[in-house]
Amino acid sequence: MSEISAPQRPGAFCALHAEQRAVTLCNRCGNYACEQCFQVAHDRQDYCTTCLPLIRPPLADRGTRFAAVAIDQVALIAPIFVCMFLGILLSNSADTGLSMLGLGVLGALGVAGYQFYLLATVGQSLGKRMMNIKVVRTDGTPVDLARLIFLRNVVPVFIGMCTWNVFSLVDALCIFTEQRRCLHDHIADTQVIVVNHTGA
């Protein structure tokens, strides 16, 4: 007497949930995945929940982000200090000192303009470029300049002023959370990632 085989179910089913129909294939391992088991990553490809953490660029560590901010601050004020120092050495009148100070301010504005250019084109400031990190949206896409300037900088500064800098303190401390995202990152829907990472 022959055994009665179970009826075959047409179509593909999820590798993790055998009762759920698959809606996509993982771009890394090739397994079928249901709606619960996949996500579109920063490269716009579908990945299963097992492979997704392996292809995400790693978040920049806290020390690297701090170093990048420090470099940016030094780069911004360096022209003023250099010109003021030269003004003291070379000055024989108050007019010369003021001229050198004005030259330093123009230099600082030039650095700020170059910073904005870098942020608009590659999502990096001078400091971030030196530390091999960059700002992207949480889905991995580039960040437009308006979002970088307004949501990531102007809005947090305004909130900080309105809260006697309590917001600014909490904003900085949020870097110690598991996501390594400050409050200004949450406002602007951004994250800071390592640039030279390639997916496994």
Side-chain angles (χ1 to χ4, degrees):
M1 183 177 178
S2 61
E3 295 182 359
I4 300 175
S5 59
Q8 298 295 315
R9 298 180 298 173
F13 289 81
C14 178
L16 295 180
H17 302 100
E19 74 285 355
Q20 297 289 333
R21 288 193 177 277
V23 294
T24 188
L25 280 171
C26 175
N27 194 55
R28 183 175 183 272
C29 68
N31 283 338
Y32 289 106
C34 65
E35 291 183 352
Q36 303 172 20
C37 292
F38 89 97
Q39 187 173 329
V40 180
H42 64 279
D43 59 359
R44 301 299 186 185
Q45 300 295 322
D46 296 344
Y47 293 93
C48 68
T49 51
T50 302
C51 292
L52 187 63
L54 302 177
I55 57 90
R56 279 179 172 163
L59 297 174
D61 63 62
R62 301 169 185 94
T64 302
R65 289 189 65 173
F66 176 80
V69 171
I71 292 169
D72 289 337
Q73 296 298 320
V74 170
L76 190 61
I77 64 175
I80 297 176
F81 277 100
V82 170
C83 288
M84 287 179 64
F85 179 71
L86 291 176
I88 292 172
L89 290 179
L90 305 175
S91 177
N92 52 15
S93 68
D95 289 341
T96 303
L98 287 174
S99 297
M100 294 301 292
L101 177 60
L103 186 61
V105 171
L106 287 177
L109 290 175
V111 171
Y114 184 59
Q115 294 274 48
F116 286 137
Y117 168 77
L118 287 177
L119 287 168
T121 54
V122 294
Q124 295 174 293
S125 62
L126 285 170
K128 287 181 174 61
R129 197 163 201 176
M130 291 179 65
M131 302 307 296
N132 291 320
I133 60 177
K134 70 183 294 185
V135 181
V136 295
R137 297 286 297 275
T138 53
D139 62 359
T141 57
V143 187
D144 59 90
L145 185 59
R147 180 178 293 272
L148 280 169
I149 294 176
F150 185 70
L151 292 180
R152 208 166 187 272
N153 291 283
V154 175
V155 170
V157 168
F158 178 76
I159 297 174
M161 292 171 60
C162 293
T163 58
W164 294 278
N165 286 325
V166 172
F167 174 85
S168 302
L169 176 62
V170 176
D171 181 30
L173 291 176
C174 282
I175 191 64
F176 294 102
T177 62
E178 184 179 353
Q179 291 183 327
R180 301 181 198 171
R181 296 175 67 208
C182 298
L183 292 181
H184 63 260
D185 286 311
H186 288 280
I187 292 173
D189 185 38
T190 58
Q191 59 184 349
V192 182
I193 62 170
V194 177
V195 174
N196 58 356
H197 173 72
T198 55

